[in-house]
Amino acid sequence: MTTSTTGAPAEVELTIGGMTCASCAARIEKKLNRMDGVTATVNYATEKAKVSYGDGVSVPALIATVEATGYTAREPEPVRADPTPGPESEGADDELRPLRERLVTAVVLAVPVIAMAMVPALQFEYWQWLSLTLAAPVVTYAAWPFHKAAVTNARHGAATMDTLISVGTSAAFLWSLWALFFGTAGTPGMTHPFELTIARADGAGNIYLEAAAGVTAFILAGRYFEARSKRRAGAALKALLELGAKDVTVLRDGREELTPVGELRVGDRFLVRPGEKIATDGTVIEGTSAIDASMLTGESVPAEVGVGDVVTGATVNAGGRLLVEATRVGGDTQLARMAKLVEDAQNGKAAAQRLADRVSGVFVPVVIALALATLGFWIGNGAGMTAAFTAAVAVLIIACPCALGLATPTALMVGTGRGAQLGILIKGPEVLESTREVDTIVLDKTGTVTTGRMTLLAVHTADGTEETEVLRLAGALEHASEHPIARAVADGALQKLSALPTPEDFANVPGLGVQGVVDGHAVLVGREKLLAEWAMELPAPLARAEAGAEAAGRTAIAVAWDGEARAVLEVADAVKDTSAEAIGRLRALGLTPMLLTGDNRAVAEAVAAEVGIAPEHVVAEVMPEDKVDVVKRLQAEGRSVAMVGDGVNDAAALAQADLGLAMGTGTDAAIEAGDLTLVRGDLRAAADAIRLARKTLGTIKSNLFWAFAYNVAALPLAAAGLLNPMIAGAAMAFSSVFVVGNSLRLRGFEAAS
């Protein structure tokens, strides 16, 4: 534990346990901020509290304050430099198990209780006693988290959805007990009368066990799926760290030793063979190669490296053998710093306030006050204790949130199910609120707007030279190389030719290209400088083609054979066919698209022009931490920002954005950091996702409105003592049916054609 001993404030991050809703987070935050010199932000979604504190305040004191508020707190495990899972990830399933067990218990026992209450044919002679036997464990054991939270809330003068559930289910169950043991409901052969009349009744012959058991089961289901979604908040960090190499070949005393990456130290020299990941940040001291860093930096063109160049851990060696000296290890590497960026961005995101808790914060105290006022009124008017309690309990029962418990889970279930059919995965209800507000959408270039792989786009030939001959000879030579640009040329050639000849005397010229003999022709493929070393110049038409390609941000490759320059090939990360259409759809939703990339400005502006993004909305040559800063800057300008990305370099920005949309064809880190996942890898799915999320949110809001409206409309009848039990049951059933029917309309959502 640490305590601030200097004038500068210290910071600590606490893992909070026991929160059941956004108002819990607000209460903890309020208590912490009341401490002298403490500034705290509590995030319900990630269950973390980020606390800044000054002299005289210790971490144990902060934890004690949280515990005094009714919750638990501890310091989380530090970000690890290796992919070994920590106790938090190992214990996530254990923490969900009690909730899962309560849910299974509630569903298994509540279904027959609801069936007997709703189907008269099932009401055999002693059906009410079987209902009591089945409902008791549901209302006590399964609903215990709601009762516990309600007591905690009451101690702090607050009322949330938990309070409403606890009070409603307890009232329904306790009244049923009274009616069974002291009223007439326990009489053999009792059935609920089907009289749709408004009349005063004493309630002694009515039970409400199906309401108590059903509400508990429905809301536990919603809580379980929400909790499972929340537990994945830390998976982005795990996915980031798992990108690193697991083992490394270290040179010690002239011998090669395979050791775990965690044992690597600054100054150690290690080997990186072609195709292997670089173990940690370092400097090349021997060899040359091309490094594929697109996963980390977003740069689509592999970087050529040689002696003295800096390389980054987790990038892939696409070419020759390298000897690297480690300069940063563990938590100091760029990969570990990116993991920290993701963690900070997740904790800094404002917690979404759940709609049901907002309304129930007012609704619950009003209902309880009305029930007490009803009880007092009828006792004071001489109606008798039975009639007075009947009216008071009727107020609580009609407020019991059957439809309210269904409002969010059913809409979310149908909306997410339809989304999955369309290749859109929505993580949870709190995600939906962000979709209505976003006005700016930031698009990563590589892998999102573009394909993310180098592609042969054009072939320019000199007079008298056939394109097929260029592709045959250049493709054959490049097919023998492992360089990503060479693979693009070879793949492009194979698309037009059925087979390629085998080259002889193949040689790689570091940093320039390749050379060899194909079918008796001495062939050169590479940079113009490679041709110059053989005293060859590009003719004017090919020189213009090369200049045009470079101006458009593409890579130009010269091809020569038999002492003469014959062609220029254009290779680039190709724009997806659907990107321009997708950006048009995003504009139609009221969003301003921006292009964000680690590529150079010429490449970025060329891509932007092709898809219809204005040059002033292009931000190029940015590192991962700069992407986060761009999102923060837009947010500081008052914009609500959505971010679409697919790479590790996008993970922190996806977490920082108000709405993160991860391409499912990308990395696990990006997918876990995003709020919505687009499985198809088609940018048009981003527009569909926002439309679907907005429609699902609208359905949830209309469900909540009608769920409360039915209750509010019936409350005056209940308070007047005129609420016939059958009318109460019918109203509650109809409100639930309406909510489910309204949610099912989402099944008709169609992706834009």
Side-chain angles (χ1 to χ4, degrees), residues 280-597:
T280 192
D281 298 357
T283 303
V284 178
I285 58 173
E286 184 181 305
T288 60
S289 184
I291 301 298
D292 182 1
S294 59
M295 299 282 275
L296 285 177
T297 66
E299 177 67 51
S300 55
V301 179
E304 303 285 348
V305 297
V307 175
D309 289 332
V310 174
V311 292
T312 305
T315 55
V316 179
N317 178 15
R321 177 180 180 276
L322 295 175
L323 181 63
V324 180
E325 181 175 311
T327 56
R328 289 186 296 200
V329 297
D332 294 330
T333 64
Q334 183 174 342
L335 184 64
R337 292 203 306 272
M338 288 177 66
K340 181 63 177 168
L341 280 173
V342 173
E343 188 174 39
D344 289 344
Q346 285 180 334
N347 289 335
K349 186 186 291 187
Q353 295 294 313
R354 296 192 59 190
L355 295 173
D357 281 312
R358 293 183 198 168
V359 182
S360 61
V362 176
F363 185 70
V364 176
V366 169
V367 169
I368 294 173
L370 183 58
L372 293 173
T374 300
L375 178 67
F377 175 80
W378 287 113
I379 291 175
N381 280 272
M385 289 297 294
T386 301
F389 270 96
T390 298
V393 172
V395 169
L396 293 175
I397 290 174
I398 197 63
C400 193
C402 286
L404 190 62
L406 288 168
T408 297
T410 54
L412 192 65
M413 188 184 307
V414 178
T416 54
R418 182 58 184 149
Q421 292 175 337
L422 299 174
I424 301 163
L425 305 181
I426 302 172
K427 284 196 174 176
E430 65 278 357
V431 170
L432 304 176
E433 291 193 68
S434 302
T435 62
R436 188 176 291 275
E437 307 299 330
V438 291
D439 52 34
T440 302
I441 186 161
V442 177
L443 307 169
D444 170 58
K445 181 187 76 68
T446 306
T448 302
V449 177
T450 64
T451 61
R453 63 180 183 275
M454 303 302 288
T455 306
L456 178 62
L457 298 179
V459 179
H460 304 276
T461 59
D463 291 340
T465 302
E466 294 292 332
E467 179 178 325
T468 53
E469 184 69 1
V470 173
L471 292 175
R472 192 175 71 86
L473 298 179
L477 202 58
E478 294 284 50
H479 198 259
S481 173
E482 291 298 319
H483 196 287
I485 292 178
R487 287 200 296 270
V489 174
D491 290 345
L494 285 170
Q495 287 178 4
K496 296 190 176 182
L497 304 172
S498 58
L500 296 173
T502 302
E504 301 172 8
D505 298 328
F506 172 85
N508 178 55
V509 184
L512 295 179
V514 293
Q515 62 188 44
V517 177
V518 181
D519 287 349
H521 300 285
V523 184
L524 300 174
V525 183
R527 297 184 179 180
E528 185 182 1
K529 187 177 179 182
L530 177 63
L531 273 64
E533 290 187 356
W534 290 82
M536 284 182 273
E537 292 185 1
L538 291 176
L542 294 184
R544 287 194 296 271
E546 180 191 44
E550 292 176 348
R554 298 176 177 179
T555 299
I557 304 167
V559 181
W561 66 82
D562 296 342
E564 185 178 344
R566 308 278 185 161
V568 166
L569 311 179
E570 291 187 30
V571 173
D573 182 8
V575 173
K576 293 179 181 177
D577 295 337
T578 58
S579 291
E581 180 187 350
I583 287 167
R585 292 184 184 180
L586 292 170
R587 277 207 178 89
L589 291 172
L591 306 177
T592 301
M594 296 185 67
L595 190 67
L596 187 63
T597 179

Side-chain angles (χ1 to χ4, degrees), residues 28-284:
I28 297 169
E29 190 173 296
K30 186 177 180 180
K31 289 286 186 181
L32 288 172
N33 284 324
R34 282 180 177 173
M35 299 176 69
D36 291 336
V38 172
T39 303
T41 301
V42 181
N43 190 319
Y44 168 61
T46 61
E47 298 182 323
K48 297 285 181 66
K50 192 171 184 179
V51 187
S52 174
Y53 60 97
D55 294 341
V57 179
S58 64
V59 173
L62 296 171
I63 292 175
T65 298
V66 175
E67 290 176 345
T69 313
Y71 305 90
T72 63
R74 61 184 173 83
E75 288 188 84
E77 290 293 313
V79 174
R80 294 165 175 256
D82 58 70
T84 306
E88 287 187 49
S89 61
E90 292 171 356
D93 288 337
D94 290 337
E95 292 180 33
L96 285 176
R97 187 177 296 120
L99 182 57
R100 184 167 57 248
E101 290 172 352
R102 294 180 196 275
L103 171 61
V104 172
T105 300
V107 170
V108 170
L109 298 181
V111 168
V113 174
I114 296 170
M116 284 188 287
M118 296 182 67
V119 182
L122 298 178
Q123 294 177 4
F124 58 92
E125 190 170 7
Y126 292 102
W127 72 274
Q128 67 270 46
W129 295 103
L130 177 59
S131 290
L132 176 63
T133 304
L134 296 175
V138 179
V139 178
T140 53
Y141 165 71
W144 177 246
F146 305 130
H147 303 317
K148 182 180 178 182
V151 171
T152 301
N153 292 331
R155 283 207 306 263
H156 296 90
T160 66
M161 182 74 172
D162 291 309
T163 310
L164 186 57
I165 297 164
S166 178
V167 170
T169 55
S170 298
F173 184 73
L174 293 174
W175 182 261
S176 300
L177 281 180
W178 183 89
L180 285 167
F181 286 99
F182 302 103
T184 59
T187 305
M190 183 278 288
T191 59
H192 279 159
F194 283 82
E195 298 174 2
L196 297 177
T197 58
I198 295 177
R200 189 169 286 113
D202 64 8
N206 304 309
I207 59 174
Y208 300 91
L209 295 171
E210 76 284 356
V215 167
T216 300
F218 283 130
I219 298 180
L220 272 175
R223 288 286 171 88
Y224 174 72
F225 291 115
E226 180 186 33
R228 197 171 68 168
S229 176
K230 279 168 50 184
R231 287 297 168 199
R232 296 169 59 188
L237 305 181
K238 183 181 176 184
L240 269 173
L241 297 174
E242 284 182 343
L243 285 171
K246 308 298 186 292
D247 300 301
V248 58
T249 304
V250 182
L251 280 184
R252 290 199 174 104
D253 301 325
R255 300 192 319 274
E256 296 182 9
E257 295 181 9
L258 188 66
T259 61
V261 169
E263 297 179 11
L264 203 59
R265 298 290 177 263
V266 173
D268 283 348
R269 296 185 172 187
F270 59 92
L271 291 173
V272 188
R273 297 180 177 87
E276 291 183 343
K277 290 180 180 179
I278 296 174
T280 192
D281 298 357
T283 303
V284 178

